[in-house]
Amino acid sequence: MIVTITMNPSIDISYPLETFKLDTVNRVVDVKKTAGGKGLNVTRVLKQLADDVTASGLLGGFLGESIKKDLDEAGISHSFSQIDGETRNCIAILHEGKQTEILESGPVISDKEAEIFLEHFTDLVKKASILSFSGSLPTGLPKDFYAKMIAICNEQHKPVVLDCSGESLKLVLKGDAKPLLIKPNTEELADLLGRDVSDDIAALKAALQDHLFDGVEWIVVSMGAKGAFAKHNDKFYRVKIPKIEVVNPVGSGDSTVAGLTSAINNGDSDEDILKKANVLGMLNAQEAVTGHVNLDHYQDLFDQLDVSLV
Ligand code: ADP
């Protein structure tokens, strides 16, 4: 079983408006509300791949119940730890070709809630074959919380695919408990190293050999329309992808994480792991709905990808 972790989920609300008027009433007809958060996008893609997946993390209040209902309706198994606070709303107002976002910071997690979650999580890890953690940590949890969770997984020899950024990722990389895989995009790679990295092979190779990444078996740098560059132990791969019609690339990285987790869980070859990840990222970019992929086009794209050892 694959376990996905979303520590700071949300109800994502989209309000499409012809024009957005300030300081007066805006009426919205076509409101969309979906269970959001990067880990839930990963979960949805894994479900579409027919993988055995359970979503976990923290949920609370009325909106937490609403997310559970959404997952139930999609037939997705879940096992969240309950918190007292209310799960957050994230609002995107789509107007005049622009997107104005209102993002709630979300509930503050108490020490007791963190402790209860870790007990729940430890039980879940026993049943998992692989885990993927996505997104930011909610307020109240220490910045090294992912590092603590990875230590629990490592004790049980369960691999972790980690997709987060900022301080929580830096603390994981500096700590003793390493994830199996990280998937920074080019911006996140630059943030980690404190400098921009050009997309030529020599520069990427040098960047991924930085001591910061010591002990992390797989580093997959996703590069949007340029595909990806990856390091697996001492091997380096360049993934070239064809040009595609893009509808909405939001969530492509989450779809990529779903592909990486699924393929590693299946014991696929390095080449197939990277192909599955990129095909799913591209399929997400071709759809309007985040975390949705049309698998009818899977094989066609798969056959067009080029993964080479560099
Ligand atoms: P993130 O969403 O984490 O920033 P990326 O934008 O790098 O991640 O997207 C992940 C993967 O999705 C890419 O490696 C690529 O395979 C695919 N992808 C994303 N954007 C595009 C695009 N504009 N054209 C083609 N493929 C894309």
mmCIF file of all heavy atoms in Angstrom, residues 185-208 210 213 221 223 226 229:
data_model
loop_
_atom_site.group_PDB
_atom_site.id
_atom_site.type_symbol
_atom_site.label_atom_id
_atom_site.label_comp_id
_atom_site.label_asym_id
_atom_site.label_seq_id
_atom_site.Cartn_x
_atom_site.Cartn_y
_atom_site.Cartn_z
ATOM 1 N N ASN A 185 11.842 21.354 -8.086
ATOM 2 C CA ASN A 185 11.836 21.926 -9.431
ATOM 3 C C ASN A 185 13.052 22.856 -9.513
ATOM 4 O O ASN A 185 13.812 22.976 -8.554
ATOM 5 C CB ASN A 185 10.501 22.613 -9.751
ATOM 6 C CG ASN A 185 10.181 23.745 -8.785
ATOM 7 O OD1 ASN A 185 11.077 24.307 -8.161
ATOM 8 N ND2 ASN A 185 8.913 24.056 -8.638
ATOM 9 N N THR A 186 13.267 23.517 -10.654
ATOM 10 C CA THR A 186 14.504 24.303 -10.823
ATOM 11 C C THR A 186 14.594 25.445 -9.800
ATOM 12 O O THR A 186 15.676 25.722 -9.274
ATOM 13 C CB THR A 186 14.612 24.866 -12.258
ATOM 14 O OG1 THR A 186 13.316 25.013 -12.792
ATOM 15 C CG2 THR A 186 15.365 23.950 -13.161
ATOM 16 N N GLU A 187 13.443 26.061 -9.508
ATOM 17 C CA GLU A 187 13.423 27.148 -8.521
ATOM 18 C C GLU A 187 13.817 26.628 -7.134
ATOM 19 O O GLU A 187 14.594 27.262 -6.413
ATOM 20 C CB GLU A 187 11.986 27.639 -8.408
ATOM 21 C CG GLU A 187 11.764 29.111 -8.598
ATOM 22 C CD GLU A 187 10.258 29.358 -8.685
ATOM 23 O OE1 GLU A 187 9.610 29.395 -7.635
ATOM 24 O OE2 GLU A 187 9.757 29.447 -9.827
ATOM 25 N N GLU A 188 13.252 25.485 -6.768
ATOM 26 C CA GLU A 188 13.548 24.916 -5.444
ATOM 27 C C GLU A 188 15.011 24.474 -5.350
ATOM 28 O O GLU A 188 15.634 24.602 -4.294
ATOM 29 C CB GLU A 188 12.602 23.741 -5.155
ATOM 30 C CG GLU A 188 11.169 24.202 -4.884
ATOM 31 C CD GLU A 188 10.099 23.136 -5.110
ATOM 32 O OE1 GLU A 188 10.405 22.034 -5.642
ATOM 33 O OE2 GLU A 188 8.936 23.413 -4.775
ATOM 34 N N LEU A 189 15.557 23.974 -6.466
ATOM 35 C CA LEU A 189 16.977 23.587 -6.478
ATOM 36 C C LEU A 189 17.853 24.818 -6.235
ATOM 37 O O LEU A 189 18.793 24.775 -5.435
ATOM 38 C CB LEU A 189 17.325 22.924 -7.823
ATOM 39 C CG LEU A 189 18.773 22.473 -7.960
ATOM 40 C CD1 LEU A 189 19.083 21.328 -6.993
ATOM 41 C CD2 LEU A 189 19.079 22.026 -9.398
ATOM 42 N N ALA A 190 17.500 25.921 -6.905
ATOM 43 C CA ALA A 190 18.256 27.163 -6.735
ATOM 44 C C ALA A 190 18.166 27.644 -5.280
ATOM 45 O O ALA A 190 19.159 28.077 -4.698
ATOM 46 C CB ALA A 190 17.724 28.236 -7.681
ATOM 47 N N ASP A 191 16.977 27.518 -4.700
ATOM 48 C CA ASP A 191 16.788 27.947 -3.311
ATOM 49 C C ASP A 191 17.641 27.094 -2.355
ATOM 50 O O ASP A 191 18.260 27.607 -1.426
ATOM 51 C CB ASP A 191 15.303 27.858 -2.947
ATOM 52 C CG ASP A 191 15.066 28.235 -1.498
ATOM 53 O OD1 ASP A 191 15.418 29.361 -1.132
ATOM 54 O OD2 ASP A 191 14.554 27.387 -0.728
ATOM 55 N N LEU A 192 17.693 25.786 -2.635
ATOM 56 C CA LEU A 192 18.475 24.887 -1.775
ATOM 57 C C LEU A 192 19.960 25.232 -1.813
ATOM 58 O O LEU A 192 20.638 25.224 -0.790
ATOM 59 C CB LEU A 192 18.302 23.431 -2.235
ATOM 60 C CG LEU A 192 17.012 22.725 -1.840
ATOM 61 C CD1 LEU A 192 16.932 21.362 -2.517
ATOM 62 C CD2 LEU A 192 16.933 22.563 -0.321
ATOM 63 N N LEU A 193 20.444 25.529 -3.035
ATOM 64 C CA LEU A 193 21.885 25.743 -3.192
ATOM 65 C C LEU A 193 22.284 27.205 -3.000
ATOM 66 O O LEU A 193 23.477 27.535 -2.934
ATOM 67 C CB LEU A 193 22.331 25.268 -4.577
ATOM 68 C CG LEU A 193 22.176 23.757 -4.822
ATOM 69 C CD1 LEU A 193 22.470 23.417 -6.275
ATOM 70 C CD2 LEU A 193 23.088 22.959 -3.898
ATOM 71 N N GLY A 194 21.277 28.084 -2.953
ATOM 72 C CA GLY A 194 21.557 29.509 -2.785
ATOM 73 C C GLY A 194 22.131 30.151 -4.041
ATOM 74 O O GLY A 194 22.771 31.188 -3.988
ATOM 75 N N ARG A 195 21.913 29.528 -5.199
ATOM 76 C CA ARG A 195 22.373 30.098 -6.479
ATOM 77 C C ARG A 195 21.581 29.473 -7.619
ATOM 78 O O ARG A 195 21.096 28.345 -7.488
ATOM 79 C CB ARG A 195 23.863 29.838 -6.705
ATOM 80 C CG ARG A 195 24.190 28.354 -6.770
ATOM 81 C CD ARG A 195 25.675 28.102 -6.986
ATOM 82 N NE ARG A 195 25.988 26.696 -6.761
ATOM 83 C CZ ARG A 195 25.924 25.746 -7.686
ATOM 84 N NH1 ARG A 195 25.548 26.038 -8.913
ATOM 85 N NH2 ARG A 195 26.226 24.498 -7.399
ATOM 86 N N ASP A 196 21.471 30.214 -8.729
ATOM 87 C CA ASP A 196 20.782 29.657 -9.900
ATOM 88 C C ASP A 196 21.627 28.557 -10.517
ATOM 89 O O ASP A 196 22.859 28.617 -10.464
ATOM 90 C CB ASP A 196 20.534 30.757 -10.942
ATOM 91 C CG ASP A 196 19.296 31.573 -10.565
ATOM 92 O OD1 ASP A 196 18.473 31.054 -9.790
ATOM 93 O OD2 ASP A 196 19.185 32.725 -11.023
ATOM 94 N N VAL A 197 20.940 27.559 -11.096
ATOM 95 C CA VAL A 197 21.674 26.479 -11.764
ATOM 96 C C VAL A 197 21.213 26.481 -13.218
ATOM 97 O O VAL A 197 20.016 26.411 -13.483
ATOM 98 C CB VAL A 197 21.346 25.111 -11.121
ATOM 99 C CG1 VAL A 197 22.109 23.997 -11.821
ATOM 100 C CG2 VAL A 197 21.664 25.127 -9.635
ATOM 101 N N SER A 198 22.172 26.598 -14.165
ATOM 102 C CA SER A 198 21.765 26.621 -15.577
ATOM 103 C C SER A 198 21.341 25.203 -15.968
ATOM 104 O O SER A 198 21.628 24.243 -15.254
ATOM 105 C CB SER A 198 22.898 27.119 -16.464
ATOM 106 O OG SER A 198 23.722 26.043 -16.822
ATOM 107 N N ASP A 199 20.636 25.091 -17.105
ATOM 108 C CA ASP A 199 20.106 23.761 -17.424
ATOM 109 C C ASP A 199 21.051 22.960 -18.316
ATOM 110 O O ASP A 199 20.639 22.004 -18.957
ATOM 111 C CB ASP A 199 18.681 23.851 -18.000
ATOM 112 C CG ASP A 199 18.621 24.722 -19.223
ATOM 113 O OD1 ASP A 199 19.698 25.018 -19.775
ATOM 114 O OD2 ASP A 199 17.513 25.111 -19.620
ATOM 115 N N ASP A 200 22.345 23.315 -18.343
ATOM 116 C CA ASP A 200 23.250 22.432 -19.099
ATOM 117 C C ASP A 200 23.712 21.282 -18.194
ATOM 118 O O ASP A 200 23.735 21.383 -16.960
ATOM 119 C CB ASP A 200 24.396 23.207 -19.773
ATOM 120 C CG ASP A 200 25.451 23.627 -18.802
ATOM 121 O OD1 ASP A 200 26.296 22.775 -18.428
ATOM 122 O OD2 ASP A 200 25.413 24.795 -18.398
ATOM 123 N N ILE A 201 24.033 20.185 -18.867
ATOM 124 C CA ILE A 201 24.246 18.925 -18.141
ATOM 125 C C ILE A 201 25.370 19.020 -17.108
ATOM 126 O O ILE A 201 25.222 18.561 -15.972
ATOM 127 C CB ILE A 201 24.468 17.770 -19.148
ATOM 128 C CG1 ILE A 201 23.112 17.465 -19.806
ATOM 129 C CG2 ILE A 201 25.046 16.532 -18.495
ATOM 130 C CD1 ILE A 201 23.163 16.571 -20.996
ATOM 131 N N ALA A 202 26.478 19.688 -17.485
ATOM 132 C CA ALA A 202 27.613 19.777 -16.552
ATOM 133 C C ALA A 202 27.204 20.535 -15.287
ATOM 134 O O ALA A 202 27.553 20.127 -14.163
ATOM 135 C CB ALA A 202 28.789 20.470 -17.245
ATOM 136 N N ALA A 203 26.440 21.616 -15.448
ATOM 137 C CA ALA A 203 26.033 22.426 -14.295
ATOM 138 C C ALA A 203 25.068 21.629 -13.402
ATOM 139 O O ALA A 203 25.186 21.654 -12.171
ATOM 140 C CB ALA A 203 25.364 23.710 -14.779
ATOM 141 N N LEU A 204 24.149 20.919 -14.035
ATOM 142 C CA LEU A 204 23.187 20.128 -13.246
ATOM 143 C C LEU A 204 23.899 18.992 -12.504
ATOM 144 O O LEU A 204 23.622 18.724 -11.330
ATOM 145 C CB LEU A 204 22.094 19.569 -14.159
ATOM 146 C CG LEU A 204 21.039 20.609 -14.582
ATOM 147 C CD1 LEU A 204 20.262 20.134 -15.804
ATOM 148 C CD2 LEU A 204 20.074 20.890 -13.421
ATOM 149 N N LYS A 205 24.842 18.354 -13.199
ATOM 150 C CA LYS A 205 25.605 17.260 -12.565
ATOM 151 C C LYS A 205 26.346 17.785 -11.334
ATOM 152 O O LYS A 205 26.300 17.189 -10.259
ATOM 153 C CB LYS A 205 26.642 16.716 -13.551
ATOM 154 C CG LYS A 205 26.195 15.510 -14.325
ATOM 155 C CD LYS A 205 27.406 14.961 -15.068
ATOM 156 C CE LYS A 205 27.053 13.712 -15.800
ATOM 157 N NZ LYS A 205 28.168 13.139 -16.532
ATOM 158 N N ALA A 206 27.017 18.920 -11.521
ATOM 159 C CA ALA A 206 27.787 19.495 -10.411
ATOM 160 C C ALA A 206 26.851 19.860 -9.260
ATOM 161 O O ALA A 206 27.146 19.589 -8.093
ATOM 162 C CB ALA A 206 28.550 20.732 -10.893
ATOM 163 N N ALA A 207 25.687 20.424 -9.599
ATOM 164 C CA ALA A 207 24.738 20.853 -8.561
ATOM 165 C C ALA A 207 24.266 19.657 -7.729
ATOM 166 O O ALA A 207 24.208 19.721 -6.505
ATOM 167 C CB ALA A 207 23.547 21.557 -9.196
ATOM 168 N N LEU A 208 23.956 18.562 -8.415
ATOM 169 C CA LEU A 208 23.408 17.411 -7.686
ATOM 170 C C LEU A 208 24.486 16.629 -6.922
ATOM 171 O O LEU A 208 24.163 15.757 -6.117
ATOM 172 C CB LEU A 208 22.633 16.483 -8.630
ATOM 173 C CG LEU A 208 21.443 17.129 -9.351
ATOM 174 C CD1 LEU A 208 20.526 16.066 -9.942
ATOM 175 C CD2 LEU A 208 20.631 18.035 -8.434
ATOM 176 N N ASP A 210 26.459 18.226 -4.933
ATOM 177 C CA ASP A 210 26.687 19.020 -3.724
ATOM 178 C C ASP A 210 26.501 18.136 -2.489
ATOM 179 O O ASP A 210 25.611 17.278 -2.449
ATOM 180 C CB ASP A 210 25.674 20.180 -3.694
ATOM 181 C CG ASP A 210 26.034 21.226 -2.659
ATOM 182 O OD1 ASP A 210 25.858 20.948 -1.445
ATOM 183 O OD2 ASP A 210 26.480 22.307 -3.069
ATOM 184 N N PHE A 213 23.210 16.941 -0.704
ATOM 185 C CA PHE A 213 22.369 15.811 -1.116
ATOM 186 C C PHE A 213 22.948 14.449 -0.722
ATOM 187 O O PHE A 213 22.397 13.414 -1.101
ATOM 188 C CB PHE A 213 22.134 15.848 -2.642
ATOM 189 C CG PHE A 213 21.506 17.134 -3.102
ATOM 190 C CD1 PHE A 213 22.173 17.986 -3.977
ATOM 191 C CD2 PHE A 213 20.252 17.500 -2.638
ATOM 192 C CE1 PHE A 213 21.598 19.179 -4.391
ATOM 193 C CE2 PHE A 213 19.664 18.701 -3.043
ATOM 194 C CZ PHE A 213 20.346 19.536 -3.923
ATOM 195 N N VAL A 221 15.098 16.472 -10.595
ATOM 196 C CA VAL A 221 14.831 17.899 -10.780
ATOM 197 C C VAL A 221 13.839 18.027 -11.928
ATOM 198 O O VAL A 221 14.144 17.682 -13.075
ATOM 199 C CB VAL A 221 16.129 18.677 -11.118
ATOM 200 C CG1 VAL A 221 15.835 20.168 -11.257
ATOM 201 C CG2 VAL A 221 17.193 18.434 -10.062
ATOM 202 N N MET A 223 11.752 20.097 -14.604
ATOM 203 C CA MET A 223 12.099 21.329 -15.307
ATOM 204 C C MET A 223 10.982 21.799 -16.236
ATOM 205 O O MET A 223 11.249 22.341 -17.316
ATOM 206 C CB MET A 223 13.405 21.089 -16.094
ATOM 207 C CG MET A 223 14.565 20.675 -15.187
ATOM 208 S SD MET A 223 15.933 19.908 -16.070
ATOM 209 C CE MET A 223 16.548 21.283 -16.993
ATOM 210 N N LYS A 226 10.838 21.628 -20.094
ATOM 211 C CA LYS A 226 12.146 21.079 -20.480
ATOM 212 C C LYS A 226 12.355 19.659 -19.969
ATOM 213 O O LYS A 226 13.451 19.106 -20.094
ATOM 214 C CB LYS A 226 13.261 21.976 -19.955
ATOM 215 C CG LYS A 226 13.314 23.318 -20.670
ATOM 216 C CD LYS A 226 14.457 24.136 -20.127
ATOM 217 C CE LYS A 226 14.465 25.528 -20.729
ATOM 218 N NZ LYS A 226 15.214 26.456 -19.889
ATOM 219 N N PHE A 229 15.885 16.289 -15.021
ATOM 220 C CA PHE A 229 17.252 15.803 -14.882
ATOM 221 C C PHE A 229 17.294 15.038 -13.565
ATOM 222 O O PHE A 229 16.713 15.492 -12.576
ATOM 223 C CB PHE A 229 18.237 16.977 -14.841
ATOM 224 C CG PHE A 229 19.667 16.554 -14.901
ATOM 225 C CD1 PHE A 229 20.279 16.322 -16.129
ATOM 226 C CD2 PHE A 229 20.410 16.354 -13.749
ATOM 227 C CE1 PHE A 229 21.606 15.911 -16.202
ATOM 228 C CE2 PHE A 229 21.738 15.933 -13.804
ATOM 229 C CZ PHE A 229 22.336 15.719 -15.040
#
